[in-house]
Amino acid sequence: LNLDGNVVDVNRSALVKSGFTRDEVIGKPFWDCGWWNRSPDVQSWIRRAVHRAVNGEPVRGETTYFLADGTPRVVEFACMPIKDENDNVLFVVPTGVDVTERVAGERDYHATEILESITEGFYGLDREWRFTYVNRAAENIAGLKAQDLLGKVLWDVHPKLIGSAFESIYRRAMTERETSSITAFYPDHQRWYDVRAYPASGGGVSIYFRDVSEQKLIEDERERLTAQAEHQRRMYEAALANTPDLVFVWDLRHRFVSANEALVEGWGRTREDVLGKSCLELGYEPWLAEMHDREIDRVIATRMPIRGEVPYAGGSGRRIYDYIF
Protein backbone atom coordinates (compact mmCIF):
# COMPACT_ATOMS: atom_id res chain seq x y z
CA LEU A 1 0.00 0.00 0.00
CA ASN A 2 1.10 3.58 -0.57
CA LEU A 3 0.84 6.18 2.19
CA ASP A 4 -2.75 6.97 1.18
CA GLY A 5 -3.69 3.36 1.93
CA ASN A 6 -4.22 2.52 -1.76
CA VAL A 7 -3.20 -0.89 -3.14
CA VAL A 8 -0.10 -0.83 -5.35
CA ASP A 9 0.50 -4.60 -5.49
CA VAL A 10 -1.30 -7.78 -4.43
CA ASN A 11 -0.48 -11.48 -4.54
CA ARG A 12 -2.56 -14.27 -6.04
CA SER A 13 -3.60 -15.74 -2.68
CA ALA A 14 -5.18 -12.47 -1.57
CA LEU A 15 -7.11 -12.22 -4.83
CA VAL A 16 -8.40 -15.78 -4.50
CA LYS A 17 -9.48 -15.22 -0.91
CA SER A 18 -11.15 -11.87 -1.57
CA GLY A 19 -12.85 -12.82 -4.83
CA PHE A 20 -11.53 -9.69 -6.55
CA THR A 21 -9.43 -9.37 -9.72
CA ARG A 22 -6.16 -7.47 -9.80
CA ASP A 23 -7.70 -4.65 -11.87
CA GLU A 24 -10.47 -4.26 -9.29
CA VAL A 25 -8.10 -3.54 -6.40
CA ILE A 26 -5.01 -1.76 -7.78
CA GLY A 27 -5.24 1.94 -6.93
CA LYS A 28 -8.21 1.45 -4.58
CA PRO A 29 -8.24 2.00 -0.78
CA PHE A 30 -7.21 -1.29 0.87
CA TRP A 31 -10.17 -1.31 3.27
CA ASP A 32 -12.57 -1.24 0.31
CA CYS A 33 -10.92 -4.12 -1.54
CA GLY A 34 -11.17 -7.23 0.60
CA TRP A 35 -13.58 -9.74 1.99
CA TRP A 36 -13.64 -7.59 5.17
CA ASN A 37 -15.72 -4.95 3.38
CA ARG A 38 -18.70 -7.23 3.89
CA SER A 39 -18.56 -6.25 7.58
CA PRO A 40 -18.44 -2.53 8.51
CA ASP A 41 -16.94 -3.40 11.92
CA VAL A 42 -13.99 -5.26 10.40
CA GLN A 43 -13.60 -2.69 7.61
CA SER A 44 -13.30 0.08 10.20
CA TRP A 45 -10.76 -1.96 12.20
CA ILE A 46 -8.64 -2.59 9.09
CA ARG A 47 -8.74 1.10 8.16
CA ARG A 48 -7.47 2.14 11.59
CA ALA A 49 -4.70 -0.46 11.39
CA VAL A 50 -3.52 0.87 8.03
CA HIS A 51 -3.46 4.45 9.30
CA ARG A 52 -1.41 3.38 12.34
CA ALA A 53 1.07 1.57 10.08
CA VAL A 54 1.34 4.62 7.80
CA ASN A 55 2.37 6.54 10.92
CA GLY A 56 5.11 3.99 11.60
CA GLU A 57 3.41 1.65 14.08
CA PRO A 58 3.38 -2.10 13.33
CA VAL A 59 -0.07 -3.60 13.93
CA ARG A 60 -0.87 -7.25 14.72
CA GLY A 61 -4.08 -8.84 15.84
CA GLU A 62 -6.93 -11.19 15.15
CA THR A 63 -10.21 -10.14 13.62
CA THR A 64 -13.16 -11.76 11.90
CA TYR A 65 -14.52 -11.54 8.39
CA PHE A 66 -17.38 -13.14 6.50
CA LEU A 67 -17.32 -15.29 3.39
CA ALA A 68 -19.73 -14.67 0.53
CA ASP A 69 -22.23 -17.07 2.15
CA GLY A 70 -22.07 -15.19 5.46
CA THR A 71 -19.88 -17.78 7.22
CA PRO A 72 -17.64 -16.10 9.83
CA ARG A 73 -13.89 -16.73 9.73
CA VAL A 74 -10.98 -15.67 11.94
CA VAL A 75 -7.89 -14.06 10.39
CA GLU A 76 -4.50 -13.36 11.95
CA PHE A 77 -3.72 -9.93 10.56
CA ALA A 78 -0.52 -7.87 10.43
CA CYS A 79 0.07 -4.44 8.94
CA MET A 80 3.76 -3.55 8.76
CA PRO A 81 5.36 -0.21 7.84
CA ILE A 82 8.37 -0.46 5.49
CA LYS A 83 10.87 2.32 6.24
CA ASP A 84 13.99 3.83 4.68
CA GLU A 85 17.32 4.40 6.45
CA ASN A 86 15.98 7.65 7.92
CA ASP A 87 13.00 5.88 9.52
CA ASN A 88 10.54 7.38 7.03
CA VAL A 89 7.66 5.10 6.07
CA LEU A 90 7.82 4.27 2.35
CA PHE A 91 4.86 1.93 2.08
CA VAL A 92 2.78 -0.52 4.13
CA VAL A 93 2.46 -4.31 3.74
CA PRO A 94 -0.68 -5.93 5.18
CA THR A 95 -0.80 -9.73 5.48
CA GLY A 96 -3.50 -12.09 6.66
CA VAL A 97 -3.69 -15.79 7.51
CA ASP A 98 -6.99 -17.64 8.03
CA VAL A 99 -6.62 -19.31 11.45
CA THR A 100 -10.22 -20.25 12.13
CA GLU A 101 -9.51 -23.93 12.66
CA ARG A 102 -6.42 -23.33 14.81
CA VAL A 103 -8.23 -20.82 16.95
CA ALA A 104 -11.17 -23.14 17.30
CA GLY A 105 -8.89 -25.94 18.44
CA GLU A 106 -6.73 -23.89 20.80
CA ARG A 107 -9.37 -21.76 22.41
CA ASP A 108 -12.60 -23.53 21.55
CA TYR A 109 -13.44 -20.53 19.42
CA HIS A 110 -16.88 -21.01 17.88
CA ALA A 111 -18.76 -19.06 15.24
CA THR A 112 -21.30 -18.26 17.93
CA GLU A 113 -18.71 -16.22 19.83
CA ILE A 114 -17.92 -14.27 16.67
CA LEU A 115 -21.56 -13.50 15.99
CA GLU A 116 -22.10 -12.37 19.56
CA SER A 117 -19.12 -10.02 19.41
CA ILE A 118 -20.22 -7.96 16.40
CA THR A 119 -22.35 -4.83 16.65
CA GLU A 120 -24.47 -5.75 13.65
CA GLY A 121 -27.72 -7.57 14.18
CA PHE A 122 -27.63 -11.15 12.87
CA TYR A 123 -30.20 -13.88 12.53
CA GLY A 124 -30.20 -17.15 10.70
CA LEU A 125 -33.22 -18.59 8.90
CA ASP A 126 -33.71 -22.16 7.71
CA ARG A 127 -35.26 -23.02 4.36
CA GLU A 128 -38.73 -22.84 5.95
CA TRP A 129 -38.02 -19.24 7.05
CA ARG A 130 -37.79 -20.26 10.72
CA PHE A 131 -35.38 -18.43 13.03
CA THR A 132 -32.44 -20.67 13.92
CA TYR A 133 -30.18 -18.09 15.55
CA VAL A 134 -30.49 -14.50 16.84
CA ASN A 135 -27.51 -12.62 18.28
CA ARG A 136 -27.55 -10.06 21.11
CA ALA A 137 -27.18 -7.11 18.74
CA ALA A 138 -30.30 -8.23 16.85
CA GLU A 139 -32.21 -8.43 20.12
CA ASN A 140 -31.15 -4.90 21.04
CA ILE A 141 -31.90 -3.39 17.63
CA ALA A 142 -35.26 -5.08 17.12
CA GLY A 143 -36.34 -5.01 20.77
CA LEU A 144 -37.16 -8.72 20.76
CA LYS A 145 -35.76 -11.69 22.69
CA ALA A 146 -34.12 -14.61 20.92
CA GLN A 147 -36.17 -17.06 22.99
CA ASP A 148 -39.34 -15.50 21.57
CA LEU A 149 -38.12 -15.85 17.98
CA LEU A 150 -36.33 -19.19 17.68
CA GLY A 151 -38.39 -21.72 15.73
CA LYS A 152 -40.92 -19.12 14.57
CA VAL A 153 -41.46 -18.13 10.93
CA LEU A 154 -40.08 -14.74 9.88
CA TRP A 155 -43.26 -13.66 8.08
CA ASP A 156 -45.39 -14.47 11.13
CA VAL A 157 -43.17 -12.42 13.43
CA HIS A 158 -42.82 -9.52 10.98
CA PRO A 159 -45.87 -9.66 8.68
CA LYS A 160 -45.24 -6.14 7.38
CA LEU A 161 -42.04 -7.36 5.73
CA ILE A 162 -44.30 -8.94 3.11
CA GLY A 163 -44.45 -6.61 0.15
CA SER A 164 -41.58 -4.49 1.45
CA ALA A 165 -38.24 -3.85 -0.23
CA PHE A 166 -36.65 -6.20 2.31
CA GLU A 167 -38.75 -9.18 1.25
CA SER A 168 -37.29 -9.15 -2.26
CA ILE A 169 -33.66 -9.45 -1.12
CA TYR A 170 -34.54 -12.16 1.44
CA ARG A 171 -36.26 -14.24 -1.23
CA ARG A 172 -33.45 -13.66 -3.72
CA ALA A 173 -30.95 -15.02 -1.20
CA MET A 174 -33.22 -17.97 -0.40
CA THR A 175 -34.42 -19.03 -3.86
CA GLU A 176 -31.76 -17.70 -6.24
CA ARG A 177 -28.88 -18.15 -3.76
CA GLU A 178 -27.63 -14.64 -4.47
CA THR A 179 -26.16 -12.21 -1.96
CA SER A 180 -28.18 -8.99 -1.82
CA SER A 181 -28.18 -5.77 0.17
CA ILE A 182 -30.45 -2.78 0.61
CA THR A 183 -30.93 0.36 2.68
CA ALA A 184 -34.61 1.11 3.11
CA PHE A 185 -37.28 2.42 5.49
CA TYR A 186 -39.33 -0.07 7.53
CA PRO A 187 -42.63 1.62 8.47
CA ASP A 188 -43.47 -0.89 11.21
CA HIS A 189 -40.44 0.28 13.21
CA GLN A 190 -40.29 3.81 11.77
CA ARG A 191 -36.60 3.22 11.11
CA TRP A 192 -34.10 2.95 8.28
CA TYR A 193 -32.16 -0.31 8.08
CA ASP A 194 -29.08 -1.36 6.14
CA VAL A 195 -29.57 -5.08 5.45
CA ARG A 196 -27.43 -7.76 3.77
CA ALA A 197 -28.83 -11.21 3.00
CA TYR A 198 -26.53 -14.18 2.27
CA PRO A 199 -27.43 -17.67 1.12
CA ALA A 200 -26.30 -19.95 3.96
CA SER A 201 -25.25 -23.59 4.04
CA GLY A 202 -28.16 -25.98 4.46
CA GLY A 203 -30.41 -23.97 2.17
CA GLY A 204 -31.22 -21.17 4.59
CA VAL A 205 -30.35 -17.48 4.76
CA SER A 206 -28.05 -15.37 6.95
CA ILE A 207 -29.20 -11.81 7.61
CA TYR A 208 -26.98 -8.98 8.88
CA PHE A 209 -28.60 -5.62 9.61
CA ARG A 210 -27.93 -2.21 11.17
CA ASP A 211 -30.20 0.62 12.27
CA VAL A 212 -29.02 3.58 10.15
CA SER A 213 -31.88 5.95 10.98
CA GLU A 214 -29.60 8.54 12.56
CA GLN A 215 -27.20 8.53 9.60
CA LYS A 216 -30.17 8.78 7.23
CA LEU A 217 -31.55 11.78 9.10
CA ILE A 218 -28.14 13.46 8.88
CA GLU A 219 -27.97 12.74 5.14
CA ASP A 220 -31.50 14.06 4.59
CA GLU A 221 -30.72 17.22 6.56
CA ARG A 222 -27.53 17.71 4.57
CA GLU A 223 -29.49 17.35 1.32
CA ARG A 224 -32.13 19.79 2.58
CA LEU A 225 -29.51 22.36 3.55
CA THR A 226 -27.71 21.89 0.24
CA ALA A 227 -30.95 22.44 -1.69
CA GLN A 228 -31.76 25.45 0.48
CA ALA A 229 -28.29 26.92 -0.08
CA GLU A 230 -28.60 26.36 -3.82
CA HIS A 231 -31.98 28.12 -3.83
CA GLN A 232 -30.55 31.05 -1.90
CA ARG A 233 -27.56 31.22 -4.23
CA ARG A 234 -29.83 31.39 -7.27
CA MET A 235 -31.90 34.15 -5.67
CA TYR A 236 -28.71 36.02 -4.73
CA GLU A 237 -27.32 35.76 -8.25
CA ALA A 238 -30.64 36.82 -9.79
CA ALA A 239 -30.78 39.88 -7.53
CA LEU A 240 -27.17 40.83 -8.34
CA ALA A 241 -27.70 40.41 -12.05
CA ASN A 242 -30.54 42.96 -12.01
CA THR A 243 -29.01 45.71 -9.86
CA PRO A 244 -27.10 48.67 -11.37
CA ASP A 245 -24.77 48.61 -8.34
CA LEU A 246 -21.34 47.06 -8.82
CA VAL A 247 -21.17 43.96 -6.65
CA PHE A 248 -18.28 41.55 -6.24
CA VAL A 249 -16.91 39.00 -3.77
CA TRP A 250 -13.30 38.36 -2.75
CA ASP A 251 -11.95 35.23 -1.13
CA LEU A 252 -9.55 35.45 1.81
CA ARG A 253 -6.61 35.58 -0.59
CA HIS A 254 -7.97 38.84 -2.07
CA ARG A 255 -9.00 37.23 -5.35
CA PHE A 256 -12.32 37.81 -7.09
CA VAL A 257 -14.65 34.83 -6.83
CA SER A 258 -17.80 36.59 -8.05
CA ALA A 259 -18.71 39.72 -10.01
CA ASN A 260 -22.15 40.78 -11.23
CA GLU A 261 -22.95 41.76 -14.81
CA ALA A 262 -22.88 45.51 -14.10
CA LEU A 263 -19.32 45.28 -12.80
CA VAL A 264 -18.07 43.02 -15.60
CA GLU A 265 -19.58 45.32 -18.22
CA GLY A 266 -18.14 48.38 -16.47
CA TRP A 267 -14.70 46.81 -16.63
CA GLY A 268 -15.18 45.93 -20.28
CA ARG A 269 -14.10 42.35 -19.54
CA THR A 270 -15.59 38.88 -19.53
CA ARG A 271 -16.33 37.03 -16.32
CA GLU A 272 -13.59 34.49 -17.16
CA ASP A 273 -11.06 37.34 -17.30
CA VAL A 274 -12.01 38.46 -13.80
CA LEU A 275 -12.50 35.43 -11.57
CA GLY A 276 -9.48 34.21 -9.63
CA LYS A 277 -7.52 37.44 -10.08
CA SER A 278 -6.49 40.19 -7.67
CA CYS A 279 -7.04 43.93 -8.00
CA LEU A 280 -3.47 44.45 -9.15
CA GLU A 281 -3.81 41.72 -11.79
CA LEU A 282 -6.95 43.44 -13.09
CA GLY A 283 -5.16 46.71 -13.69
CA TYR A 284 -5.96 48.64 -10.52
CA GLU A 285 -3.35 51.30 -9.84
CA PRO A 286 -0.80 49.93 -7.34
CA TRP A 287 -1.70 52.41 -4.59
CA LEU A 288 -5.40 51.52 -4.98
CA ALA A 289 -4.76 47.76 -5.02
CA GLU A 290 -2.63 48.06 -1.88
CA MET A 291 -5.30 50.16 -0.14
CA HIS A 292 -8.01 47.62 -0.93
CA ASP A 293 -5.76 44.77 0.27
CA ARG A 294 -5.35 46.56 3.62
CA GLU A 295 -9.10 47.15 3.82
CA ILE A 296 -9.91 43.52 3.06
CA ASP A 297 -7.54 42.36 5.81
CA ARG A 298 -9.13 44.83 8.21
CA VAL A 299 -12.64 43.57 7.46
CA ILE A 300 -11.46 39.98 7.93
CA ALA A 301 -9.75 40.82 11.23
CA THR A 302 -12.46 43.05 12.75
CA ARG A 303 -15.56 41.57 11.06
CA MET A 304 -16.70 45.19 10.68
CA PRO A 305 -17.56 46.97 7.39
CA ILE A 306 -15.47 49.71 5.78
CA ARG A 307 -16.86 52.50 3.60
CA GLY A 308 -15.15 55.09 1.40
CA GLU A 309 -14.89 56.90 -1.93
CA VAL A 310 -12.31 56.25 -4.59
CA PRO A 311 -11.55 57.35 -8.17
CA TYR A 312 -11.29 54.55 -10.72
CA ALA A 313 -10.58 54.62 -14.44
CA GLY A 314 -12.44 51.82 -16.18
CA GLY A 315 -14.48 51.18 -19.29
CA SER A 316 -16.68 54.19 -18.47
CA GLY A 317 -13.73 56.56 -18.03
CA ARG A 318 -12.51 58.02 -14.77
CA ARG A 319 -15.32 57.99 -12.20
CA ILE A 320 -15.73 58.48 -8.45
CA TYR A 321 -17.23 55.47 -6.65
CA ASP A 322 -18.75 55.16 -3.19
CA TYR A 323 -17.97 51.70 -1.89
CA ILE A 324 -18.56 49.51 1.13
CA PHE A 325 -16.74 46.30 2.01
Side-chain angles (χ1 to χ4, degrees):
L1 315 181
N2 62 21
L3 299 189
D4 293 324
N6 296 329
V7 179
V8 295
D9 199 7
V10 60
N11 69 359
R12 182 176 178 277
S13 179
L15 294 174
V16 171
K17 284 285 187 180
S18 67
F20 285 82
T21 66
R22 184 179 181 83
D23 290 341
E24 288 175 324
V25 300
I26 296 298
K28 303 291 181 60
F30 177 65
W31 43 87
D32 289 339
C33 297
W35 49 87
W36 46 82
N37 67 14
R38 300 184 182 114
S39 170
D41 290 340
V42 177
Q43 184 182 32
S44 177
W45 189 88
I46 293 290
R47 185 168 188 161
R48 291 194 301 272
V50 171
H51 287 163
R52 287 167 58 189
V54 167
N55 289 321
E57 179 186 353
V59 179
R60 294 183 182 276
E62 288 182 357
T63 185
T64 60
Y65 67 92
F66 299 89
L67 300 178
D69 64 358
T71 302
R73 305 291 293 177
V74 182
V75 64
E76 188 173 80
F77 179 80
C79 200
M80 308 301 294
I82 305 301
K83 303 178 181 181
D84 62 15
E85 63 275 9
N86 296 318
D87 207 37
N88 297 313
V89 178
L90 300 176
F91 50 90
V92 171
V93 177
T95 60
V97 178
D98 189 324
V99 294
T100 307
E101 283 71 24
R102 175 180 64 76
V103 171
E106 292 177 358
R107 298 190 299 176
D108 195 24
Y109 200 109
H110 298 293
T112 299
E113 296 179 56
I114 300 174
L115 294 173
E116 291 301 329
S117 69
I118 64 175
T119 58
E120 290 180 282
F122 169 84
Y123 53 83
L125 303 169
D126 66 16
R127 64 182 62 196
E128 303 300 327
W129 299 102
R130 294 184 296 247
F131 286 94
T132 58
Y133 187 86
V134 179
N135 73 350
R136 282 192 297 268
E139 291 181 309
N140 294 333
I141 294 171
L144 297 170
K145 293 295 184 182
Q147 63 189 27
D148 298 328
L149 296 175
L150 296 178
K152 294 185 179 178
V153 175
L154 172 69
W155 314 115
D156 293 338
V157 175
H158 297 296
K160 292 188 178 179
L161 282 175
I162 299 174
S164 72
F166 301 105
E167 180 187 13
S168 62
I169 71 164
Y170 291 174
R171 293 195 182 279
R172 188 177 302 124
M174 181 71 81
T175 60
E176 300 175 27
R177 314 307 294 166
E178 292 183 5
T179 299
S180 301
S181 63
I182 194 172
T183 300
F185 184 69
Y186 185 45
D188 197 37
H189 291 178
Q190 290 295 298
R191 296 179 189 170
W192 286 85
Y193 289 107
D194 179 56
V195 178
R196 289 167 292 130
Y198 299 93
S201 57
V205 175
S206 297
I207 306 294
Y208 296 84
F209 64 100
R210 295 183 296 149
D211 181 351
V212 293
S213 303
E214 184 174 349
Q215 296 95 305
K216 185 65 178 173
L217 288 174
I218 292 172
E219 291 173 6
D220 290 346
E221 179 65 7
R222 185 183 298 117
E223 290 178 3
R224 185 189 69 81
L225 292 175
T226 300
Q228 184 182 63
E230 176 65 15
H231 177 67
Q232 291 174 340
R233 184 187 68 81
R234 291 180 181 275
M235 292 180 62
Y236 175 71
E237 291 182 348
L240 295 187
N242 290 283
T243 178
D245 293 333
L246 311 181
V247 184
F248 47 93
V249 179
W250 281 304
D251 65 16
L252 301 188
R253 298 182 300 121
H254 305 186
R255 296 187 178 277
F256 288 90
V257 294
S258 180
N260 71 343
E261 291 298 325
L263 179 60
V264 173
E265 290 177 5
W267 274 333
R269 295 173 177 267
T270 65
R271 192 179 301 276
E272 289 72 22
D273 291 335
V274 172
L275 301 184
K277 295 182 179 178
S278 66
C279 290
L280 193 60
E281 291 170 332
L282 288 175
Y284 280 59
E285 295 179 37
W287 70 268
L288 179 56
E290 291 175 7
M291 184 181 78
H292 283 339
D293 283 340
R294 291 194 303 270
E295 291 172 326
I296 294 170
D297 286 336
R298 182 176 168 187
V299 172
I300 293 170
T302 66
R303 305 186 69 84
M304 298 293 292
I306 289 178
R307 188 165 189 164
E309 289 186 357
V310 68
Y312 178 75
S316 303
R318 192 169 182 82
R319 315 289 293 178
I320 303 296
Y321 291 94
D322 174 65
Y323 66 90
I324 182 169
F325 296 162

